[in-house]
Amino acid sequence: MKIVTVVGARPQFIKAAAGSRALRREHQEILVHTGQHFDDNMSAVFFREMEIPEPDYNLGISGGSHAQMTARMLTGIEDILMKEQPDALLVYGDTNSTLATALAAAKLRIPVLHVEAGNRLGTLDNPEEVNRKLTDHCSSLLFTATEDAREKLVAEGLGDKAYTVGNIMYDSFLHFAGRPWGSPNIIGLDGKKVSVPDSFYYMTCHRQENTYSDEPLTEILSAMNSLDAPAIYPVHPRNRERAERICQKENFSNIILTQPVGYGDSVQLTKHAKKIVTDSGGLQCEAFYAGVQCVFVLDYVVWPETMVGNRNQLAKANKEDILQKLSAEQVIDPAYQPFGDGHAAEKICDILREKFPMGRNDQ
Ligand code: UDP
């Protein structure tokens, strides 16, 4: 098959690392980068380190309102799809590019393959929920990370297209987690190399809900600053200025602010951390894979499967709440593996072979 895959944001690069490796064993893949994340440490480092093939196209679309981004991606991908005439379009997750490119393909009657389908928060107030729901409804095949997500699709009448394959991020995690942590390449905001302390917490925080003003981020940082070991915090470019200013003003000397780190370092920070505090969907799952306890700072649960045995707990952007959740002990049941076996990409290929035995005309 000839498959056009679209990526644009950091978590999509991490998923595509596993996806492209498996797809290219038996298919022709055309990779499109939307340009959403473009800094070296938010984009190129993942292509280099994770051996993701060079994109065939870069749409160069970043910034602007949701409508502006979606509209530019719709027209940008339509030109590529008309030129390439692929047998399918493959999209990951729930960004604006996921929806825009799925919509363009569906209108051209090109089958859409959606990886990480079926995740639902239950509210359209969340812009990603709009993206993932509409993408699922115009897709031909839906690959879910968990059984719960497949059941959500069944409830929406999409069960006949849905397959539980496991979380493709787990494929990438396993690929990197087994490697030794040679020499971390973690760079501070001042441009100097950071040496990783023996004992530390790992945190990330970049969501709009926690970074739109000083208040929630100050609460989170204040909790981290009061812990018994330093917190390593690679800051997303979106809120770098705010995080730096708050740490200086409040004299939060127990927090090590760094530039975004590469995936290998993120996996090793995850594995070696005492505990993790984050608002990232991906990192809370990686904490779960690593068996490291996590506190997820947001108002709603994103991966309900992780919320067992105190392994991942929801906290408000409030110092006391975060510290209270961090003080709980976790209980791990090794038999509980809700995210599959780390072979999601291969399972997707197995299903494609079955559904498209000779390309699109046979579907
Ligand atoms: N990550 C990374 N470097 C960092 C911070 C995070 O490689 O400096 C990885 C992290 O391990 C996880 C993913 O990026 O796999 C999460 O991406 P992000 O937080 O941007 O997106 P979200 O998970 O919120 O969709």
Side-chain angles (χ1 to χ4, degrees), residues 319-331:
K319 179 178 177 181
E320 302 316 320
D321 197 26
I322 294 168
L323 291 177
Q324 196 220 319
K325 301 281 159 61
L326 279 172
S327 70
E329 289 296 317
Q330 69 168 343
V331 180

Side-chain angles (χ1 to χ4, degrees), residues 107-176:
K107 292 287 179 83
L108 293 170
R109 307 187 67 165
I110 295 168
V112 177
L113 319 172
H114 186 201
V115 180
E116 209 177 274
N119 290 1
R120 296 289 183 270
L121 300 175
T123 167
L124 291 178
D125 287 346
N126 175 266
E128 284 82 28
E129 180 93 344
V130 178
N131 292 342
R132 56 178 92 92
K133 204 162 181 175
L134 295 181
T135 302
D136 285 342
H137 282 261
C138 68
S139 293
S140 296
L141 286 176
L142 300 165
F143 300 110
T144 73
T146 64
E147 192 49 28
D148 177 65
R150 197 189 65 80
E151 282 163 16
K152 298 266 172 36
L153 294 171
V154 171
E156 291 178 22
L158 299 173
D160 57 333
K161 302 175 187 175
Y163 299 85
T164 305
V165 293
N167 195 340
I168 198 162
M169 279 193 109
Y170 191 28
D171 297 22
S172 286
F173 179 83
L174 289 179
H175 196 75
F176 275 78

Side-chain angles (χ1 to χ4, degrees), residues 10-11 14 46 169 202 206 234 260-263 266 280-283 286:
R10 177 166 65 184
I14 295 165
F46 295 91
M169 279 193 109
Y202 181 26
H206 72 280
V261 299
Y263 186 67
S266 186
S280 153
L283 186 57
E286 286 158 359

Side-chain angles (χ1 to χ4, degrees), residues 1-64:
M1 290 173 73
K2 182 175 185 179
I3 299 173
V4 168
T5 298
V6 180
V7 294
R10 177 166 65 184
Q12 291 169 328
F13 308 144
I14 295 165
K15 290 165 200 168
S20 293
R21 197 180 318 116
L23 279 180
R24 286 179 189 230
R25 281 190 208 119
E26 53 192 298
H27 301 290
Q28 180 192 358
E29 185 186 45
I30 309 286
L31 193 61
V32 179
H33 191 318
T34 64
Q36 183 187 341
H37 285 165
F38 51 84
D39 291 339
D40 186 85
N41 57 24
M42 291 295 288
S43 174
V45 67
F46 295 91
F47 284 80
R48 282 197 302 273
E49 186 188 355
M50 305 186 83
E51 295 170 357
I52 306 168
E54 275 291 303
D56 298 280
Y57 296 90
N58 191 319
L59 297 178
I61 301 169
S62 75

